[in-house]
Amino acid sequence: MGIGGVISSLLSLGGQLIPAVSASLLSPSSPPLECDQIEVELKQLMRLLERIKATLYDAEEREIRDLSVKLWLKELEGVAYHAEDVLDEYHYEILRAQVEATDGRQVPDGMLYQIKQIRSKFSEIEKDRLALRLTDEDGPRRCNSDLQIAPTSHFVLESEIIGREMEKEQLIDILSSESDDGKIVSVVTIVGTGGIGKTTLAQLLYNDQRMQPKFDKFGWVCVSEDFNVQRLTREAVESITGEPYRVINLSALQAKIGKEIGGQRVFLVLDDVWNENRNQWELFQRPFESASLVKILVTTRSERVAQIMQTVPTFTLGYMPEKQSWQLFQHYAFGKLIQKRDSNFIEIGKAIIKKCGMLPLAIKSIASLLRHEKNEESWRGILENELWKTDANNEIFWPLQISYARLPTYLKPCFLYCSMFPRDYRYSTRELVRLWIYQGYVHTDGLKNAEQIGWEYVKQLWQRSFFEGKYNEKEFSFQLHDMVHDLARFNSGHGYYFIEGDMVPNFPDELHHLYVCKKELVQPLPFLSLRTLLVRNHWGKRLPSGFHFSEAQKLRALELEFNGYPQSHISFVNLKHLRYLSLNNGRFEKLPKSICFLYNLQNLTLLNCCHLSELPQNIGNLVSLEELIICGSLRLQMFPVSLWNLKALRKLNLTSLKLEELPLDIGNLVNLEELIIRQCFNLRMLPMSLCLLKVLRMLCLCKCFKLEELPPNMGDHTNLQLLRIEETKLSSLPPRLKKNTRTIEVIDQRHGRMKGWLEYFVDFGGTLVLSGLSCVRNFENFYRANLASMKHLHCLILTWLDGIKIDECYGNVIHLCINSDSNANSVEDFDDQSRSLMIYLQPHPNLKELQMEGYPGLEFSSWIRNPSLCASLEQIKLIDYNYIASLPFGGLYNLKYLKLDSCFNMKVIREGSLPLVLEVIDIWNCKNLTCVPGIQGLCFLVKFDIVDCMQLHWLGPTRCTPSVRNCPKLGRSERCIDCLPQPSHCRVVNPYPEDQYVCPVCLTNPNAMAFGCGHQIPVRKHTQLIPQRLNTIKRIAGKTKGLNSGRYGRYCGCRW
């Protein structure tokens, strides 16, 4: 049901009302006695709601099997919705009195009586709670036997297992590698949704014959939600020793396990972990430090659990490929009789596995059910009926139902709200979070605003495998797996509904949230109980009969897409609770005056209302309005004066308007944080009053072709985080603005302006991003800009790709972007152009960090190979390099960090191609990389991550243990340097006539002088370069007797 969202909204609303009522005691227009009584009743109601809220976790967990608890929750939901309406109406009346500034009553008639009635109903519900013995803890705390999956063990019948071979091999490689940093306990986590096959995969690993010689002791513990350290330690002892152990004292248990595994190599599986308490986890693993090596394999559905427990990166288990899913279905549905089955059965079976969404547990359960069904109609019955309509207690839904039951109460209503949308709907985080906020599901904590907390809710649901997609902090769109969507539909009851396509609606009773995506809607809508109504893609000639919003008095969110049909009179009278109003493609010339009475409205969006020519004069009455979006109203040229009195307004978006200037009064929007002005082609100037917007964080000026300058006092802004300039006549910025603004983006189609911008930012000392470089044809502009003159620049990012994400870790950023065009070039053309352009992109030698993305050339420019031109370079990141096959970084003697991501033409990283002083290497998604001999001799290397290199089969010896993920062809690494044969002297090769070399292996260990030229670092004869490395060499060779600091050519007796 997600009743927790309504209770939380009630508590938040009551918290706002109590101080308002206290203020009313001072108003001569309100009866002091009545206000005092209302305040007392409200405080009592808040205390009562707090006690009820504390029991919701227990109640929602028990409602699945306990009918009385389910009825109690339903009654609670009804009373809570009514209470929210009553208190919100009181809040509306307070706002109305403030706006109208009348001497009338601020307390509505009958309000005291209604609040007393509400408190009385909640008191009865509280008595029923005590009778039901619901506990008052909101969170995982005890095991409910009704919700338990059967305990697991390590025993498995491997002949019954289909698929997961690749994942098994990858995990064996990870478990076989030595622990990083000498850690005794290493934890590997398998994360995935319920029923995906985590336990089965763990069983396969536990029983694999290759694991037996690697470990001395094995143990398996089924954890589940009750992470009781005492119980788990005892079960670990019993599993490892194979004998019962009845001691219950934790100290004795830990002493026992320490004694049993002392000096041994241990492999332990912890299956189905839900614990998010780090202290409990640390207490449990403490006695395992007595072993010589411990590998703990954890299965969990929660990314947060993995983050707490893991010591190596998470192993995320995805859905089964379609081919393996079909093999699994065949095994359980047909057995050996597939050849005897009619082709219709095979066709239906393949459709069923798609409906199961490649979820192994669902496929296995349905296939087993159909194994003895000989009737084709029975098979079609499964296919054509929604899975969520089946018994929720069956094996298909049980793993997912447990995941839902264990959600915190504040996440449940947010998840259930998604069931209002159709399957395969692409959710936008921004859109969904806003709707959650308007329903009262998101509550601030005083440190973060509601949007930030809403994004955290999305991230938590994604971490718990309810949302699918690649998470991004900036722009995150996602989908729900079909079975997860069915889970939401089942648990949401009848409160959420959607209509799409040719569906004939059958509206349930007590419908609260409705999504309509239908070309023509003729049926009347159930307005009386609706709290959300989203009407999209409606192309009917008229609105349905009975489409009167005056009846929809409980609406919080309303979106209407008219798509151009003749506009009839629409009134928003009585919508006292409305927070969000979006009108799209309307043909009205004026907004109805009734909009000005929506005192609770927080978001007003007007999209493509092309006939709109004016806004209501009293629009300033919208005292709660936080966001105003006006897009595509080309006839709208003037704004009412009252608009600039909206003190609560935080975001203003003006797009595609025929504005020539903004009024001075915009400076009255003292709480404005974001101002977006886009495609206002006639805009010539911005008012001086912009400097009064002290909390402005983002200013976007896009395609304002006539805008030539910004107000000179804009440089005084100290809170501006982002200034985006696109397609304007601006060629400079006010003084101090580039210093006070964290990120400045300049986007221009006519890239001849780039020269002027680069010259303007010549003294910039942060991060410079040049994007859209594939569109550059006139290299002369960059030559004249002289990038090498930017001697204060810290980081340079060059990208030939369309989009780039700029992390906050880059500090102050200047982003100069050339818009992409449709010109297509061959690889040869791109290579010639890219090499020519790279010549003019040579930075100053002081540059510390270099990142290049999507470089289409076949080889690097000469300056990146030259140590003197990259003397200070410490970091290099190469991303989406599809043509480069080799690396020329051997001479960059200050380089500490190297990242290679999606370099698909890279097959071998050869010896001598990497500088010996490298400390960190990240290699990701280099699909064709086969071997990395170039890491030999990197004696300063402390971290080496290699991920998703599918063809990699050999790594050279390294001084640190590499972290390897999803490299299925890679066996264990070769022996480390110290284990190799030790020659009696160090052979030194001098490939460059101006350089001399020393052996770093000699410097760190004179008795292990090996590899010759594979392990040398350059020390130039020229004295001006020697001091840069001499101190480092001295520190390394502090214990080496042969160090002669008086001569720049003799170290450790190396002969050259």
Side-chain angles (χ1 to χ4, degrees):
M1 289 184 181
I3 183 61
V6 188
I7 297 295
S8 296
S9 179
L10 266 174
L11 288 167
S12 176
L13 195 53
Q16 298 175 39
L17 284 176
I18 290 175
V21 173
S22 299
S24 298
L25 291 171
L26 305 176
S27 172
S29 61
S30 300
L33 180 60
E34 185 175 355
C35 289
D36 184 56
Q37 290 177 321
I38 289 177
E39 183 179 7
V40 171
E41 289 290 333
L42 280 174
K43 289 180 178 179
Q44 292 179 354
L45 178 60
M46 294 301 102
R47 289 194 294 270
L48 192 59
L49 288 173
E50 288 285 3
R51 291 197 298 270
I52 292 174
K53 180 186 177 183
T55 68
L56 289 180
Y57 187 91
D58 187 32
E60 290 178 333
E61 192 177 73
R62 285 174 51 185
E63 71 166 318
I64 301 170
R65 294 290 182 93
D66 193 329
L67 181 59
S68 59
V69 174
K70 189 167 188 170
L71 293 173
W72 180 81
L73 279 172
K74 188 172 182 61
E75 182 183 5
L76 175 61
E77 182 183 41
V79 176
Y81 274 131
H82 174 64
E84 186 184 24
D85 292 338
V86 170
L87 296 187
D88 199 40
E89 184 175 351
Y90 188 9
H91 184 258
Y92 175 87
E93 291 299 327
I94 292 175
L95 293 175
R96 180 187 61 78
Q98 293 173 359
V99 172
E100 298 177 4
T102 62
D103 293 331
R105 289 174 57 93
Q106 292 188 19
V107 179
D109 292 334
M111 183 60 65
L112 177 60
Y113 173 76
Q114 291 189 66
I115 292 177
K116 284 184 175 180
Q117 287 291 102
I118 290 170
R119 189 176 66 82
S120 175
K121 291 180 180 178
F122 276 121
S123 295
E124 294 177 8
I125 290 174
E126 169 70 0
K127 293 177 182 178
D128 293 338
R129 176 191 72 82
L130 297 173
L132 291 170
R133 297 183 179 180
L134 296 173
T135 59
D136 56 352
E137 297 179 25
D138 183 19
R141 73 249 160 259
R142 61 172 179 79
C143 294
N144 186 332
S145 58
D146 291 338
L147 285 170
Q148 288 298 297
I149 294 180
T152 63
S153 76
H154 67 272
F155 291 102
V156 64
L157 188 60
E158 293 196 34
S159 61
E160 297 291 316
I161 306 301
I162 307 294
R164 300 302 190 195
E165 291 87 358
M166 185 177 72
E167 291 89 345
K168 175 184 171 183
E169 294 302 318
Q170 293 168 6
L171 282 165
I172 286 178
D173 287 343
I174 294 172
L175 292 168
S176 299
S177 63
E178 297 298 324
S179 300
D180 294 340
D181 302 325
K183 292 179 179 177
I184 294 174
V185 179
S186 179
V187 183
V188 180
T189 55
I190 304 176
V191 178
T193 190
I196 199 87
K198 301 182 297 296
T199 299
T200 301
L201 183 56
Q203 290 169 332
L204 289 174
L205 291 165
Y206 191 96
N207 290 282
D208 193 280
Q209 293 299 317
R210 288 170 290 178
M211 299 290 286
Q212 301 304 315
K214 301 180 189 297
F215 299 98
D216 306 307
K217 302 283 187 180
F218 290 78
W220 180 289
V221 178
C222 180
V223 180
S224 195
E225 76 171 299
D226 182 22
F227 198 92
N228 183 296
V229 176
Q230 186 182 48
R231 174 183 70 84
L232 297 178
T233 305
R234 187 185 73 250
E235 292 185 8
V237 170
E238 293 178 344
S239 181
I240 290 171
T241 62
E243 300 175 355
Y245 195 69
R246 302 306 179 193
V247 175
I248 60 174
N249 180 271
L250 180 59
S251 296
L253 287 168
Q254 291 188 331
K256 174 67 174 177
I257 202 168
K259 180 180 178 181
E260 291 292 335
I261 66 174
Q264 304 287 307
R265 298 171 64 89
V266 181
F267 179 53
L268 177 66
V269 175
L270 299 179
D271 188 40
D272 194 26
V273 179
W274 295 81
N275 171 60
E276 295 181 2
N277 187 319
R278 187 182 298 274
N279 292 332
Q280 285 186 312
W281 164 240
E282 291 176 351
L283 178 61
F284 171 76
Q285 69 167 342
R286 197 170 296 160
F288 289 92
E289 295 289 340
S290 63
S292 64
L293 176 70
V294 180
K295 295 284 187 176
I296 300 180
L297 181 65
V298 173
T299 70
T300 179
R301 305 181 193 186
S302 171
E303 186 76 30
R304 294 184 67 183
V305 171
Q307 291 171 357
I308 290 170
M309 302 179 71
Q310 69 189 16
T311 61
V312 298
T314 299
F315 187 93
T316 302
L317 190 60
Y319 297 99
M320 287 186 76
E322 185 173 353
K323 181 179 180 181
Q324 292 183 359
S325 297
W326 175 237
Q327 291 173 346
L328 181 65
F329 184 89
Q330 286 180 210
H331 179 79
Y332 283 95
F334 302 134
K336 298 179 180 180
L337 303 177
I338 186 164
Q339 302 297 333
K340 299 181 180 180
R341 286 288 190 173
D342 188 272
S343 60
N344 289 343
F345 285 93
I346 296 175
E347 179 184 348
I348 296 170
K350 290 184 176 181
I352 287 175
I353 66 169
K354 291 182 179 179
K355 191 158 189 175
C356 290
M358 317 304 169
L359 191 69
L361 181 62
I363 296 171
K364 177 181 175 181
S365 300
I366 292 181
S368 300
L369 176 69
L370 295 173
R371 187 180 184 93
H372 302 291
E373 292 288 344
K374 310 298 182 183
N375 191 335
E376 184 178 326
E377 292 182 2
S378 299
W379 284 56
R380 290 201 178 275
I382 291 290
L383 176 62
E384 294 171 359
N385 284 280
E386 297 287 348
L387 291 178
W388 60 272
K389 290 182 179 179
T390 63
D391 179 10
N393 298 336
N394 65 30
E395 292 182 6
I396 302 171
F397 271 99
W398 210 232
L400 299 178
Q401 187 63 42
I402 291 176
S403 294
Y404 169 76
R406 291 168 181 167
L407 279 178
T409 54
Y410 63 85
L411 287 182
K412 285 182 178 178
C414 298
F415 170 64
L416 296 183
Y417 197 82
C418 298
S419 67
M420 178 180 66
F421 299 92
R423 279 191 181 194
D424 300 321
Y425 183 82
R426 173 64 65 174
Y427 297 85
S428 161
T429 297
R430 294 184 184 277
E431 170 198 35
L432 190 61
V433 166
R434 286 173 179 170
L435 290 171
W436 287 347
I437 292 172
Y438 304 140
Q439 295 301 323
Y441 297 161
V442 181
H443 308 288
T444 58
D445 56 7
L447 300 176
K448 299 179 181 178
N449 61 40
E451 286 189 14
Q452 291 172 322
I453 295 175
W455 275 78
E456 289 182 1
Y457 288 3
V458 170
K459 186 174 183 178
Q460 289 180 41
L461 287 166
W462 172 77
Q463 288 176 327
R464 295 168 184 267
S465 303
F466 285 92
F467 293 166
E468 288 185 340
K470 186 176 181 180
Y471 186 77
N472 187 316
E473 296 285 354
K474 302 290 184 181
E475 296 287 342
F476 178 45
S477 63
F478 58 90
Q479 289 182 297
L480 267 64
H481 186 279
D482 285 352
M483 294 198 69
V484 174
H485 187 271
D486 292 340
L487 176 75
R489 293 292 306 277
F490 173 81
N491 285 283
S492 63
H494 301 300
Y496 305 80
Y497 198 77
F498 63 85
I499 307 170
E500 64 172 345
D502 298 324
M503 286 178 59
V504 177
N506 181 19
F507 297 117
D509 297 333
E510 300 180 4
L511 179 62
H512 298 303
H513 308 283
L514 177 63
Y515 171 90
V516 179
C517 186
K518 192 174 176 66
K519 289 187 176 180
E520 185 155 6
L521 185 64
V522 295
Q523 296 88 348
L525 298 178
F527 280 122
L528 292 179
S529 60
L530 279 182
R531 306 172 88 82
T532 303
L533 175 60
L534 308 179
V535 180
R536 298 177 181 172
N537 197 33
H538 186 269
W539 288 88
K541 295 181 179 179
R542 58 184 176 82
L543 288 171
S545 59
F547 210 87
H548 302 301
F549 295 113
S550 58
E551 299 176 3
Q553 298 183 20
K554 299 179 180 180
L555 274 177
R556 267 69 176 171
L558 173 62
E559 181 179 318
L560 296 175
E561 186 173 347
F562 301 107
N563 287 321
Y565 63 79
Q567 183 60 54
S568 59
H569 175 69
I570 292 180
S571 174
F572 301 105
V573 174
N574 296 329
L575 301 188
K576 296 182 179 181
H577 308 292
L578 197 65
R579 263 71 175 174
Y580 169 64
L581 175 61
S582 178
L583 304 176
N584 305 341
N585 298 323
R587 298 186 62 183
F588 39 75
E589 295 181 0
K590 298 180 180 181
L591 290 176
K593 294 181 179 179
S594 55
I595 277 185
C596 300
F597 299 103
L598 303 177
Y599 302 131
N600 274 317
L601 193 68
Q602 297 176 16
N603 182 306
L604 175 60
T605 299
L606 306 172
L607 299 180
N608 300 319
C609 299
C610 54
H611 293 269
L612 182 66
S613 59
E614 64 178 273
L615 299 177
Q617 291 299 315
N618 293 328
I619 196 170
N621 291 349
L622 303 179
V623 292
S624 300
L625 194 66
E626 296 182 355
E627 184 169 6
L628 174 61
I629 301 174
I630 305 176
C631 176
S633 299
L634 295 177
R635 297 185 182 182
L636 184 64
Q637 300 183 32
M638 300 289 292
F639 296 103
V641 175
S642 66
L643 177 66
W644 313 113
N645 296 325
L646 296 172
K647 303 299 184 184
L649 196 66
R650 296 189 302 110
K651 299 180 181 181
L652 177 60
N653 186 329
L654 305 175
T655 299
S656 297
L657 305 180
K658 289 187 176 180
L659 297 175
E660 293 188 4
E661 61 180 22
L662 290 177
L664 283 171
D665 292 337
I666 194 174
N668 295 332
L669 302 177
V670 293
N671 290 308
L672 194 67
E673 297 177 1
E674 296 182 12
L675 175 58
I676 299 174
I677 304 175
R678 183 184 290 117
Q679 296 178 2
C680 294
F681 305 132
N682 296 327
L683 186 68
R684 296 179 179 275
M685 59 181 297
L686 297 176
M688 296 286 289
S689 58
L690 278 184
C691 68
L692 300 176
L693 305 178
K694 298 299 184 182
V695 297
L696 191 68
R697 294 186 299 104
M698 183 175 74
L699 174 61
C700 294
L701 304 169
C702 302
K703 297 190 177 181
C704 301
F705 297 136
K706 297 182 179 181
L707 185 64
E708 296 183 354
E709 63 178 359
L710 296 180
N713 55 3
M714 279 291 292
D716 297 332
H717 272 285
T718 56
N719 290 316
L720 201 60
Q721 299 293 305
L722 173 63
L723 172 61
R724 179 178 289 125
I725 301 170
E726 178 180 356
E727 300 292 327
T728 70
K729 286 189 176 182
L730 292 171
S731 58
S732 63
L733 301 175
R736 300 188 304 278
L737 187 61
K738 60 183 176 182
K739 180 179 179 181
N740 292 336
T741 304
R742 193 183 71 82
T743 301
I744 298 176
E745 292 185 7
V746 180
I747 306 171
D748 208 309
Q749 187 76 41
R750 298 175 296 278
H751 56 274
R753 299 179 183 271
M754 285 295 126
K755 170 182 173 291
W757 284 111
L758 286 170
E759 291 175 343
Y760 177 73
F761 291 118
V762 68
D763 60 344
F764 180 68
T767 297
L768 174 64
V769 181
L770 298 178
S771 64
L773 294 175
S774 58
C775 301
V776 176
R777 301 294 179 265
N778 186 358
F779 308 134
E780 196 70 17
N781 291 314
F782 286 91
Y783 169 69
R784 291 175 180 173
N786 193 11
L787 199 63
S789 64
M790 302 181 71
K791 61 182 178 180
H792 302 293
L793 197 63
H794 178 82
C795 175
L796 176 63
I797 300 177
L798 306 173
T799 176
W800 284 256
L801 306 177
D802 290 335
I804 183 172
K805 178 188 174 184
I806 302 175
D807 296 324
E808 293 185 2
C809 63
Y810 287 115
N812 284 9
V813 176
I814 301 295
H815 180 190
L816 304 182
C817 174
I818 302 165
N819 279 350
S820 60
D821 56 28
S822 58
N823 295 334
N825 297 68
S826 66
V827 173
E828 291 79 6
D829 291 338
F830 269 133
D831 179 42
D832 293 339
Q833 293 173 6
S834 300
R835 280 189 292 168
S836 300
L837 176 60
M838 282 294 291
I839 294 173
Y840 302 119
L841 294 177
Q842 176 186 325
H844 192 277
N846 290 344
L847 189 74
K848 298 289 186 182
E849 300 178 18
L850 175 64
Q851 176 174 322
M852 295 191 287
E853 300 186 9
Y855 177 63
L858 299 177
E859 61 182 42
F860 290 96
S861 183
S862 58
W863 59 262
I864 201 173
R865 313 176 190 199
N866 192 326
S868 62
L869 297 179
C870 298
S872 302
L873 202 58
E874 296 179 354
Q875 290 191 22
I876 292 180
K877 298 179 183 179
L878 306 179
I879 301 170
D880 286 315
Y881 265 46
N882 292 325
Y883 305 109
I884 291 292
S886 60
L887 301 176
F889 303 140
L892 303 184
Y893 49 79
N894 272 314
L895 193 65
K896 303 292 193 304
Y897 175 77
L898 174 65
K899 178 178 181 178
L900 306 176
D901 187 348
S902 303
C903 300
F904 298 140
N905 202 37
M906 189 81 62
K907 296 181 179 180
V908 180
I909 299 178
R910 303 187 183 279
E911 292 188 48
S913 63
L914 300 178
L916 299 175
V917 293
L918 266 178
E919 297 176 1
V920 179
I921 302 177
D922 289 332
I923 303 178
W924 298 353
N925 196 34
C926 295
K927 301 293 186 183
N928 296 310
L929 186 66
T930 59
C931 57
V932 190
I935 62 172
Q936 298 183 68
L938 304 186
C939 59
F940 300 99
L941 196 65
V942 295
K943 185 174 182 290
F944 181 23
D945 285 353
I946 186 159
V947 183
D948 293 332
C949 297
M950 309 305 291
Q951 301 301 319
L952 184 67
H953 59 77
W954 185 79
L955 291 176
T958 64
R959 281 196 173 272
C960 71
T961 303
S963 174
V964 180
R965 285 175 287 161
N966 198 22
C967 301
K969 294 187 177 182
L970 182 64
R972 293 194 63 178
S973 300
E974 298 294 323
R975 295 176 296 174
C976 66
I977 292 173
D978 293 331
C979 298
L980 294 173
Q982 301 175 358
S984 59
H985 68 279
C986 176
R987 179 174 61 88
V988 178
V989 177
N990 181 10
Y992 300 101
E994 72 272 24
D995 288 349
Q996 296 294 346
Y997 284 75
V998 299
C999 178
V1001 179
C1002 296
L1003 295 175
T1004 55
N1005 185 356
N1007 295 320
M1009 298 182 287
F1011 296 101
C1013 62
H1015 279 210
Q1016 289 123 23
I1017 90 175
V1019 180
R1020 293 183 176 276
K1021 290 181 180 179
H1022 303 293
T1023 58
Q1024 66 268 26
L1025 295 179
I1026 290 294
Q1028 298 180 24
R1029 301 304 301 166
L1030 185 57
N1031 290 333
T1032 302
I1033 295 173
K1034 285 182 178 180
R1035 287 196 299 271
I1036 298 171
K1039 297 183 179 180
T1040 304
K1041 297 179 181 180
L1043 180 62
N1044 183 347
S1045 60
R1047 296 182 58 190
Y1048 296 130
R1050 296 190 58 194
Y1051 298 96
C1052 307
C1054 291
R1055 299 187 299 274
W1056 40 267

